[in-house]
Amino acid sequence: MLLHPEGGVGWHGDYVGPLLPGAVEMGLEALQRGRETNTNFKVWVAPVIWKLAFTGNVEPALARECGYVEKSLKIEGAAHGSLPERVYRIYSDLLSRDEQAFGLTAVQGASYAVRQQRALAELGQRLGDDVAAEPGLDLAELLRRSRRWLREGEADTEEQKRVRELAETIQRIQRVGSWAFADRTITQEEIAEHLKRIRNDYCKGTLRDTINRFIPQPAGPRCAHIRVPQPLGLHDYDGSVDEALLVLRTRMQEAVTRTVTELEAGGGFISYPNPFYHR
C-alpha cells in the first residue's frame, strides 16, 4: 500500500496530481517474479480514493485558524473580510513578499493567477540561467535539473544558496495550482486545505507549527467517502509505465469528480464566492 502516490500531501482534495511510478513498477516486478513459477500469475494495481467532507458548519473554527495564520505571518487588514477573501489576502501578501525579495515588478490590479504566472515565469528563467539549462524547459524539469545541480555541488556556497532559494520559492508559489482558479465557488473544505497548505509552507519556528505539520487537525468532524475505481490488471497490460500511470490517474480523478458531484447534489458542501476564480 502506497500512501499519497502523488509523492506528498498537496492539500487539493478534489484534484489528483501526477502519480509516482512506484506502484506500477513494483507490480511489474512482482509479475515478472511470479511468472517464473506460475505462468498464470496475475497482478493488479488497485487505486483507492476518498473525499473528506465536513459533517456541519465549521466556519468559526476556520476563522480561528485563519486568524492564527494572519497573526503568525503578520498579515494585517484582512480580518473583517469573508473567509475566502482573507485566504486570498494572505496568499496575495505572501506573493508580494516574494516579488519584493526577488526584485520582481508587481502588476497593480492584476489577479493572483496573473501575478503568480508572471512570477513563476521570471523565477523559472533565473533558475534556468543559474543551472545552465537549455531554453524551453517546463518548471517541473527545471526543478529536477536544479536538484541534480545541487547534488553535484560544483558551485560555490553563494551560488548554491541562490539556486536553492529560487527552487524552494518556485515550489511554494506553484502549490496553488490551476484547480484553485477553476470554479466560481469555494467550499469550506477547500478553504481548510488552503489554510493547511499555508501553515505547512510558511508557518514555522514554533512547537505548535511543528506538531501541526506532522499531525494537522481538522476544523471539525468529517466523513470519508471512499471509492475504489477499476483496478488495472498488469498481466493483461502491454503499455508503458507512464501510460499505466495515466490510466490509473484518470480513473482516480473520475472517481473523485463523481463523488464530489454526488455530494454537491445532496447539499453536502457549504460554499462561498471564490476570489481565486479566473477564466
Side-chain angles (χ1 to χ4, degrees):
M1 180 178 181
L2 297 179
L3 296 178
H4 302 298
E6 298 148 307
V9 183
W11 301 110
H12 40 71
D14 296 351
Y15 170 77
V16 180
L19 305 182
L20 295 178
V24 174
E25 291 174 345
M26 292 166 64
L28 291 173
E29 183 178 349
L31 181 63
Q32 181 181 359
R33 294 186 180 187
R35 287 286 170 87
E36 291 174 358
T37 56
N38 179 1
T39 56
N40 293 319
F41 192 82
K42 296 180 180 181
V43 173
W44 285 267
V45 178
V48 178
I49 66 93
W50 56 86
K51 171 61 181 176
L52 296 172
F54 291 118
T55 59
N57 190 339
V58 296
E59 183 169 330
L62 288 174
R64 286 193 296 272
E65 183 167 14
C66 191
Y68 173 81
V69 170
E70 289 165 342
K71 182 178 180 180
S72 176
L73 298 176
K74 297 180 173 59
I75 306 291
E76 299 179 357
H80 300 295
S82 69
L83 269 174
E85 289 168 349
R86 291 170 68 178
V87 170
Y88 186 89
R89 172 65 179 273
I90 292 170
Y91 269 120
S92 182
D93 281 14
L94 291 172
L95 183 56
S96 293
R97 293 176 187 181
D98 285 327
E99 289 170 337
Q100 293 170 9
F102 288 92
L104 305 181
T105 302
V107 181
Q108 296 298 323
S111 68
Y112 181 89
V114 170
R115 291 174 57 208
Q116 181 200 48
Q117 290 308 307
R118 291 193 178 196
L120 289 173
E122 175 62 30
L123 295 178
Q125 179 64 51
R126 295 185 189 184
L127 183 62
D129 292 342
D130 283 347
V131 300
E134 59 268 29
L137 297 180
D138 61 23
L139 283 177
E141 182 58 31
L142 272 176
L143 290 170
R144 281 193 289 270
R145 297 286 182 93
S146 69
R147 288 192 289 270
R148 186 186 313 144
W149 186 90
L150 288 167
R151 283 197 302 269
E152 291 171 353
E154 296 179 357
D156 62 41
T157 303
E158 284 302 314
E159 286 179 300
Q160 291 188 33
K161 180 181 178 182
R162 183 173 63 250
V163 167
R164 188 174 290 107
E165 288 179 349
L166 270 172
E168 289 175 352
T169 301
I170 289 171
Q171 287 176 303
R172 278 201 318 271
I173 294 175
Q174 69 177 177
R175 291 251 287 162
V176 183
S178 58
W179 38 264
F181 315 116
D183 296 326
R184 293 180 180 272
T185 58
I186 184 171
T187 65
Q188 288 193 347
E189 287 76 8
E190 291 171 307
I191 292 171
E193 290 166 358
H194 276 306
L195 290 171
K196 295 303 183 192
R197 190 182 307 107
I198 293 168
R199 290 189 68 176
N200 183 81
D201 291 350
Y202 293 93
C203 297
K204 301 177 181 179
T206 68
L207 178 61
R208 179 177 178 178
D209 290 327
T210 300
I211 293 174
N212 180 78
R213 193 168 296 113
F214 288 98
I215 315 174
Q217 298 298 308
R222 298 179 296 177
C223 179
H225 301 267
I226 303 172
R227 303 290 184 269
V228 181
Q230 180 185 356
L232 177 63
L234 295 180
H235 47 279
D236 288 329
Y237 186 79
D238 57 4
S240 68
V241 171
D242 287 341
E243 290 168 336
L245 291 173
L246 181 58
V247 170
L248 288 166
R249 181 174 178 268
T250 299
R251 292 179 183 179
M252 293 171 72
Q253 184 62 65
E254 288 174 349
V256 169
T257 302
R258 186 165 53 250
T259 302
V260 170
T261 301
E262 292 170 356
L263 292 173
E264 285 178 339
F269 299 118
I270 296 174
S271 300
Y272 311 81
N274 182 11
F276 290 93
Y277 177 67
H278 181 71
R279 285 179 288 183

